[in-house]
Amino acid sequence: MAFEKIKVTNPIVEMDGDEMTRIIWKSIKDKLILPFVELDIKYFDLGLPHRDATDDKVTVESAEATLKYNVAIKCATITPDEDRVKEYSLKSMWRSPNGTIRNILNGTVFREPIICKNVPRLIPGRFKDIFQEVYEASWKTKYEAAGIWYEHRLIDDMVAYALKSEGGYVWACKNYDGDVQSDMLAQGFGSLGLMTSVLVCPDGKTIEAEAAHGTVTRHYRVHQKGGETSTNSIASIFAWTRGLAHRAKLDDNAQLLDFTQKLEAACIGAVESGKMTKDLALIIHGSKLSRDTYLNTEEFIDAVAAELKAKLSA
Ligand SMILES: NC(=O)c1ccc[n+]([C@@H]2O[C@H](COP(=O)([O-])OP(=O)(O)OC[C@H]3O[C@@H](n4cnc5c(N)ncnc54)[C@H](O)[C@@H]3O)[C@@H](O)[C@H]2O)c1
């Protein structure tokens, strides 16, 4: 069934990327976005070969275009190290594209886990329980003999305590935001494929949306050898929905906003109906994981497309 495409008045900036996420990116565009939305895309290829060919100017240009059009949707990209310089025969060890873009946009990154009811969470609770168990079993009496103690406090309580106290404590932090900690948090909520990341600029108008994870090199190596992959595309799909939802807000485009909500619901609906990639199936089934409990990369995107079509026709 052909759908009447939703018209979008103003452009978005698309930043393409590398490896497994570049492959997923194309499928998302072809199967979940372009059949439904008529979009003026300002395309920038931030894949490492093109960054090298343009002496990384393309990264700067993409950030400048973001300031102009206010909405950027970014695929994960390789930050080169010495091995990548050799692998891609680079002219130089170009800087992290995210660093370059953040310097130009000067914003703050907000990350949010995507929650599916049937994906068990490690956080919150479990870490706290482990600390408590270890403390009680091995340390409580020793601590008390030394006149010290351990206790769990909520983060807001702890921040207030840190401000008013004069020290004399060790603070073991958990669940707090930041690049490194949020990866851990994402894993706690199921998978790195379940964490959105949106850079919001001080003008309140300009944003850049992306997945919080990297280019999933390990899966790409399998793909390069012709093997089957099962890479979670949800966070990359949410890069599109969060970017397009912001476009909808700026343009006052209710139809586009509705589409983004249905696409997000289609991802969660697919997982909650048992259609998921291996990373999530592993958390649910553990050692009982078998091939019939998960879909491969393309099958999962197709399952989301089917859910989306059903929601759009309803
Ligand atoms: N925002 C970005 O563009 C960004 C962020 C981090 C890393 N990177 C780049 O990504 C490349 C690979 O880095 P890495 O391996 O450390 O990080 P990664 O996030 O790509 O992968 C780490 C591991 O997490 C799991 N994983 C991550 N995303 C997944 C998904 N969608 N589905 C299933 N499993 C998933 C896999 O087990 C994978 O081996 C590097 O070149 C790095 O520079 C880019």
Side-chain angles (χ1 to χ4, degrees):
M1 178 178 163
F3 286 84
E4 195 179 327
K5 289 196 191 183
I6 298 160
K7 292 192 174 50
V8 182
T9 323
N10 291 301
I12 59 116
V13 172
E14 176 193 352
M15 301 168 175
D16 209 345
D18 289 297
E19 299 194 312
M20 204 58 215
T21 38
R22 187 178 179 98
I23 290 168
I24 291 174
W25 202 250
K26 184 171 178 341
S27 288
I28 294 173
K29 254 177 91 174
D30 290 348
K31 293 177 177 174
L32 302 175
I33 307 293
L34 298 183
F36 310 102
V37 183
E38 201 178 294
L39 204 52
D40 178 3
I41 294 177
K42 307 295 178 195
Y43 177 85
F44 294 85
D45 184 0
L46 266 53
L48 191 47
H50 192 62
R51 271 183 276 149
D52 194 50
T54 61
D55 294 340
D56 207 23
K57 285 194 183 63
V58 66
T59 309
V60 173
E61 284 163 7
S62 72
E64 285 166 350
T66 305
L67 287 174
K68 182 170 175 192
Y69 297 111
N70 304 121
V71 179
I73 300 174
K74 181 181 172 290
C75 179
T77 45
I78 292 169
T79 295
D81 55 15
E82 278 163 17
D83 290 341
R84 298 297 199 170
V85 171
K86 277 189 218 130
E87 183 187 347
Y88 285 84
S89 308
L90 299 180
K91 293 182 226 164
S92 169
M93 200 191 296
W94 306 110
R95 296 179 54 195
S96 150
N98 283 32
T100 303
I101 293 165
R102 277 178 213 170
N103 282 343
I104 295 171
L105 301 186
N106 179 30
T108 304
V109 177
F110 291 86
R111 290 188 167 177
E112 183 191 338
I114 300 158
I115 295 169
C116 306
K117 285 197 199 82
N118 55 337
V119 177
R121 289 182 225 167
L122 297 174
I123 296 170
R126 192 62 194 131
F127 276 21
K128 170 172 166 275
D129 296 345
I130 292 168
F131 265 83
Q132 197 68 39
E133 276 163 30
V134 172
Y135 175 64
E136 274 170 17
S138 315
W139 298 101
K140 194 162 186 279
T141 47
K142 289 179 198 150
Y143 267 50
E144 283 171 355
I148 57 173
W149 73 95
Y150 158 80
E151 68 178 337
H152 172 260
R153 287 181 181 225
L154 294 176
I155 187 77
D156 48 357
D157 187 8
M158 195 57 215
V159 169
Y161 179 77
L163 287 175
K164 72 180 179 206
S165 97
E166 287 179 9
Y169 60 87
V170 176
W171 184 1
C173 298
K174 60 188 193 309
N175 293 14
Y176 69 83
D177 285 334
D179 241 20
V180 178
Q181 295 296 337
S182 77
D183 271 10
M184 183 186 77
L185 200 65
Q187 201 64 61
F189 273 98
S191 162
L192 289 175
L194 289 181
M195 181 70 87
T196 66
S197 184
V198 178
L199 177 72
V200 181
C201 296
D203 66 3
K205 212 176 153 194
T206 306
I207 69 144
E208 182 241 304
E210 63 180 321
H213 60 76
T215 60
V216 207
T217 311
R218 207 164 50 82
H219 295 200
Y220 185 60
R221 297 295 181 226
V222 175
H223 173 85
Q224 279 178 312
K225 288 184 196 140
E228 184 182 50
T229 59
S230 180
T231 311
N232 190 337
S233 48
I234 294 180
S236 296
I237 298 172
F238 272 60
W240 281 94
T241 56
R242 297 294 156 101
L244 291 177
H246 189 67
R247 182 76 278 161
K249 192 174 128 195
L250 294 178
D251 298 354
D252 205 10
N253 186 338
Q255 246 197 322
L256 181 62
L257 185 63
D258 179 66
F259 169 79
T260 64
Q261 289 164 349
K262 286 185 170 140
L263 180 47
E264 291 191 0
C267 293
I268 293 165
V271 173
E272 291 185 349
S273 71
K275 294 175 190 134
M276 65 190 77
T277 43
K278 191 175 177 181
D279 52 325
L280 302 185
L282 191 61
I283 303 166
I284 294 175
H285 303 285
S287 58
K288 294 192 189 74
L289 181 84
S290 57
R291 179 60 189 84
D292 60 351
T293 57
Y294 63 87
L295 303 177
N296 68 30
T297 306
E298 285 305 319
E299 285 167 351
F300 178 74
I301 294 174
D302 290 339
V304 173
E307 286 263 346
L308 175 64
K309 284 176 191 161
K311 286 185 193 303
L312 290 172
S313 319

